[in-house]
């Protein structure tokens, strides 16, 4: 986003009446730059390599293109060879789509290779892939501005922390989720996603060093928040 677009977003969110929730794929925005109150920021992370594999097959799923075609009728259909290309082949043949080069910037509709961008912000320093500066800024913003950053692989702990740290919005969240888990578990499940070998994941991990470090940082922070609740000591 440009500076002006950040300002418009900040004003929009500040115009909502309490208690309101704004859910959107958007990078961190510091509302104080526009002399506006900060919202309560929460977010989720997941293993960055598992995440990029999931995205790889998500954009190749048939229903994804049905939705895209409805939204953008003039959008051309993808090349069948591209649709059939599996992740392991993409990585092992050094395909440009799966190179994940440090500092590389990708234009177009979003960059779903990394999570640090969402926490770093809109500055140019945030756009390079797997960079030290983006990771450091992302960590700083999480510590200063995020009430909770949950971890998908630790959902029970995430829901517990959310219930206690942001009770106004998440009181009873764990009960709601587990009472309806059969419904939620079907959402966005991709039956077209095959298993990826651990050896292939290890190849990708070598280029995701700072993404992995940021993920581990968020996991440790969540764990500390959970321990601070002292739930095991309560009767």
């Amino acid at each position: 986003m440009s500076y002006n677009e950040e300002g418009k977003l900040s004003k929009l969110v500040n115009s909502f009446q309490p208690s309101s929730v704004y859910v959107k794929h958007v990078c961190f925005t510091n509302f104080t730059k526009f002399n506006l109150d900060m919202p309560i920021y929460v977010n989720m992370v997941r293993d960055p390599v598992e995440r990029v594999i999931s995205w790889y097959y998500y954009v190749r799923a048939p229903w994804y293109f049905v939705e895209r075609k409805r939204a953008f009728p003039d959008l051309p259909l993808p090349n069948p060879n591209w649709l059939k290309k599996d992740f392991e082949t993409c990585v092992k043949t050094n395909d440009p789509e799966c190179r994940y080069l440090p500092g590389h910037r990708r234009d177009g509709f979003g960059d779903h290779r990394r999570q640090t961008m969402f926490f770093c912000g809109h500055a140019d320093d945030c756009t390079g892939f797997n960079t030290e500066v983006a990771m450091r800024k992302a960590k700083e913003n999480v510590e200063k501005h995020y009430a909770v950053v949950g971890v998908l692989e630790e959902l029970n702990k995430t829901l517990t922390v959310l219930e206690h740290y942001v009770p106004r919005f998440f009181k009873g969240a764990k009960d709601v989720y587990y009472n309806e888990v059969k419904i939620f578990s079907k959402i966005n499940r991709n039956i077209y996603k095959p298993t990826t070998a651990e050896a292939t994941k290890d190849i990708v991990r070598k280029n995701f060093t700072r993404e992995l470090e940021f993920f581990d940082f968020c996991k440790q922070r969540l764990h500390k928040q959970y321990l601070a609740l002292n739930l095991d000591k309560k009767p």
Side-chain angles (χ1 to χ4, degrees), residues 11-60:
K11 291 177 182 178
L12 172 66
V13 174
N14 262 257
S15 70
F16 298 154
Q17 294 295 318
S19 299
S20 298
V21 177
Y22 183 79
V23 182
K24 196 76 173 176
H25 287 298
V26 64
C27 298
F28 170 77
T29 298
N30 190 339
F31 289 32
T32 61
K33 293 192 301 184
F34 309 100
N35 296 316
L36 296 170
D37 293 333
M38 287 287 284
I40 299 172
Y41 267 108
V42 297
N43 210 327
M44 293 283 292
V45 295
R46 67 182 294 190
D47 180 286
V49 175
E50 296 294 343
R51 180 175 177 272
V52 81
I53 294 171
S54 179
W55 174 255
Y56 181 90
Y57 287 109
Y58 174 77
V59 297
R60 285 169 165 80

Side-chain angles (χ1 to χ4, degrees), residues 10 13 16 32 43 57 65 75 77-79 82 111 151 165 192 208-209 211-212 215 219 224 227-228 230:
S10 301
V13 174
F16 298 154
T32 61
N43 210 327
Y57 287 109
F65 282 101
L75 189 73
L77 292 174
N79 188 305
W82 180 83
D111 185 349
V151 177
Y165 281 73
Y192 301 98
F208 274 71
T209 50
E211 287 293 321
L212 287 163
F215 176 63
K219 283 201 300 183
K224 289 178 181 178
L227 292 179
N230 290 317

Side-chain angles (χ1 to χ4, degrees), residues 128-139:
F129 174 72
N130 201 50
T131 63
E132 180 78 17
V133 64
M135 179 194 70
R136 289 186 179 277
K137 187 61 178 178
K139 286 182 178 181

Side-chain angles (χ1 to χ4, degrees), residues 199-210:
T200 303
K201 295 178 184 179
D202 288 340
I203 294 172
V204 177
R205 287 189 182 104
K206 292 178 181 178
N207 282 0
F208 274 71
T209 50
R210 294 182 178 92

Side-chain angles (χ1 to χ4, degrees), residues 84-147:
K84 294 176 182 177
K85 180 175 58 179
D86 64 271
F87 186 75
E88 294 201 21
T89 300
C90 186
V91 171
K92 293 178 180 178
T93 59
N94 202 29
D95 189 294
E97 187 179 3
C98 300
R99 284 181 187 167
Y100 312 114
L101 301 176
H104 180 256
R105 302 184 183 194
R106 180 174 293 176
D107 297 326
F109 178 68
D111 185 349
H112 293 266
R113 298 171 299 165
R114 59 218 162 86
Q115 296 176 113
T116 53
M117 176 182 66
F118 287 104
F119 296 89
C120 178
H122 302 273
D124 287 343
D125 287 343
C126 297
T127 58
F129 174 72
N130 201 50
T131 63
E132 180 78 17
V133 64
M135 179 194 70
R136 289 186 179 277
K137 187 61 178 178
K139 286 182 178 181
E140 179 186 331
N141 285 336
V142 167
E143 283 284 38
K144 287 184 177 180
H145 303 295
Y146 283 78

